[in-house]
Amino acid sequence: MPEQAEFTGPVAGTREVSGTGWSLRDQSPIPKLLVYEDFESDGLVRGHLGVAFGASTTAPDGVLVCGVRPGEWLLLGERSGSVPPASGAVTVDLTHGLAMFRLTGPAARHVLAAVCSIDIAEAMLPNGAVCGASVARLACTLARDDVAGEHSYLILSQRSAGRYLFEALGDAGGSRT
Amino acid sequence: MLLVPCPNCGPRNSADLTLVGESEPRPDPAATTPVEWRSYLYEEDNPAGWTRETWYCRLGCGRFFVTERHRAENRFRNPPLGPSGEPPGRT
């Protein structure tokens, strides 16, 4: 029987840093499933997930469903009922392929704005919004997912660049405090 | 800064996108001479005026789209279209 490989995060040592009004946590071990809609599925997958491109919602089973691209969704969390039926959907487990960090706090927006290519003002990226953008010159997916009314962003990048991104975000926050 | 109107993401900095080149119909490989094929692949009209271009939204939605740009004034006009001329984006 094959052994289950232990998940090793992209960030060695400390997996959380914080400053005045912000904290950054490595959440890479959270399961991540990418779902593509088959061209012939005629919207079945979107109907099942109920999320449009650029938006996100929390499914009844607690999974955060993000519309990351037209016809593509990212499911974040231990999934059960969120996974669409096999017909019309292609799923790829990216748990080990993506790094994921959560930037939280009243100053989180300013920390992220220092290294992000797009306008992340409240009107442009409200709670629940999802977009692709350059963060510290990396191609990343941003998901605004506020926690208890506090600004919070999920930032996903290629796992191989995870340590760099973690340090770049920490440096951006450090330069503000 | 040049703002490119991505049909899915809205106006984005051109650094987030890649200009693929002028958009023109793909010739039929079976009925095209090598000279015509080379012209399609490598040559551009590059007018100092309006032209149809294909852009790739590299850091945003990851989709190709066609739009019209004035190459002398860097202005865009008309809503962008998908690579086949249809409104893009399956949301």
Side-chain angles (χ1 to χ4, degrees):
Chain A
M1 187 172 169
E3 287 185 24
Q4 184 73 27
E6 185 182 348
F7 185 90
T8 307
V11 181
T14 178
R15 295 173 65 179
E16 181 166 358
V17 294
S18 59
T20 308
W22 64 272
S23 67
L24 178 66
R25 200 149 27 106
D26 177 17
Q27 295 196 328
S28 300
I30 290 178
K32 302 176 271 297
L33 191 73
L34 186 65
V35 178
Y36 293 90
E37 184 175 44
D38 193 290
F39 280 100
E40 296 173 354
S41 74
D42 203 22
L44 283 176
V45 178
R46 186 193 168 185
H48 176 83
L49 295 173
V51 177
F53 164 62
S56 68
T57 189
T58 303
D61 57 0
V63 169
L64 184 66
V65 182
C66 304
V68 291
R69 286 181 170 184
E72 292 181 30
W73 295 266
L74 202 52
L75 276 52
L76 306 174
E78 291 287 351
R79 61 258 177 193
S80 52
S82 297
V83 180
S87 162
V90 178
T91 59
V92 183
D93 191 337
L94 291 180
T95 304
H96 294 261
L98 293 176
M100 183 168 80
F101 306 114
R102 182 179 283 279
L103 183 62
T104 307
R109 179 153 59 95
H110 304 293
V111 173
L112 184 58
V115 288
C116 186
S117 68
I118 62 167
D119 183 359
I120 57 169
E122 182 68 30
M124 301 300 291
L125 197 71
N127 189 24
V130 177
C131 68
S134 160
V135 179
R137 299 186 181 273
L138 288 175
C140 293
T141 298
L142 293 180
R144 170 92 178 268
D145 180 38
D146 288 1
V147 178
E150 208 166 45
H151 272 57
S152 188
Y153 301 90
L154 288 171
I155 307 161
L156 297 104
S157 76
Q158 292 294 319
R159 180 200 158 89
S160 57
R163 182 176 174 184
Y164 159 74
L165 180 61
F166 187 81
E167 293 176 354
L169 286 165
D171 289 347
S175 65
R176 290 187 42 80
T177 55
Chain B
M1 180 173 71
L2 178 63
L3 285 178
V4 183
C6 173
N8 294 309
C9 304
R12 297 286 293 248
N13 187 340
S14 61
D16 291 357
L17 298 95
T18 299
L19 173 59
V20 179
E22 288 178 12
S23 174
E24 54 184 306
R26 185 172 186 268
D28 178 9
T32 306
T33 66
V35 172
E36 290 171 333
W37 192 247
R38 187 174 62 228
S39 171
Y40 166 73
L41 288 176
Y42 302 115
E43 296 174 5
E44 298 208 346
D45 293 337
N46 200 16
W50 290 103
T51 184
R52 283 168 62 88
E53 296 174 333
T54 300
W55 287 79
Y56 172 59
C57 190
R58 188 168 49 90
L59 296 181
C61 60
R63 292 293 181 270
F64 290 87
F65 62 91
V66 175
T67 187
E68 290 180 308
R69 180 170 67 101
H70 195 291
R71 288 201 166 184
E73 301 170 359
N74 261 343
R75 286 188 291 121
F76 290 87
R77 73 177 181 188
N78 294 334
L81 299 170
S84 307
E86 83 285 10
R90 298 180 309 132
T91 53

